[in-house]
């Protein structure tokens, strides 16, 4: 078995971005009801950015589709998560 580093594996990841986001963040809920913003800290792709006004900026294009943000979110309705449409999303390839 050939050992590879995390960086080498990540270079093999491919994203096919769909027109419809598979994750939607309700910034109003984040801004008005959430003080923790767990999604910022648990996302392995670092796709959540806290804004000065308390909201969250999110970019779904590089998402690993792990669902960690959805599970960690403590505010009902703040994150709507589903799998991308067929043929879209992330592909992990062997190096």
């Amino acid at each position: 078995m050939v050992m590879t580093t995390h960086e080498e594996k990540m270079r093999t990841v491919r994203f096919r971005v769909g027109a419809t986001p598979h994750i939607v963040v309700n910034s109003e809920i984040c801004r008005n009801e959430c003080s923790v913003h767990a999604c910022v800290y648990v996302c392995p792709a670092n796709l959540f950015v806290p804004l000065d006004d308390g909201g969250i900026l999110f970019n779904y294009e590089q998402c690993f589709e792990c669902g960690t943000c959805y599970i960690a979110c403590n505010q009902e309705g703040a994150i709507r998560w589903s799998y991308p449409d067929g043929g879209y999303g992330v592909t992990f390839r062997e190096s």
Side-chain angles (χ1 to χ4, degrees):
M1 175 179 210
V2 176
M3 298 298 290
T4 57
T5 66
H6 179 262
E7 290 77 18
E8 289 170 330
K9 285 282 188 190
M10 291 310 298
R11 283 194 289 266
T12 68
V13 175
R14 302 292 179 258
F15 297 94
R16 184 160 182 237
V17 180
T20 305
H22 66 285
I23 297 177
V24 177
V25 176
N26 184 326
S27 285
E28 289 299 314
I29 293 175
C30 295
R31 184 179 300 109
N32 298 324
E33 300 176 29
C34 182
S35 61
V36 178
H37 295 134
C39 57
V40 172
Y41 305 102
V42 301
C43 176
N46 297 314
L47 299 180
F48 293 84
V49 178
L51 301 174
D52 290 339
D53 68 357
I56 295 289
L57 177 66
F58 174 70
N59 181 2
Y60 74 98
E61 285 88 353
Q62 300 291 311
C63 179
F64 294 147
E65 301 166 25
C66 65
T68 304
C69 60
Y70 182 74
I71 293 168
C73 181
N74 65 341
Q75 295 299 321
E76 182 79 28
I79 295 176
R80 191 178 76 228
W81 190 97
S82 63
Y83 287 106
D85 292 334
Y88 293 94
V90 66
T91 302
F92 299 95
R93 297 185 178 159
E94 291 295 322
S95 54

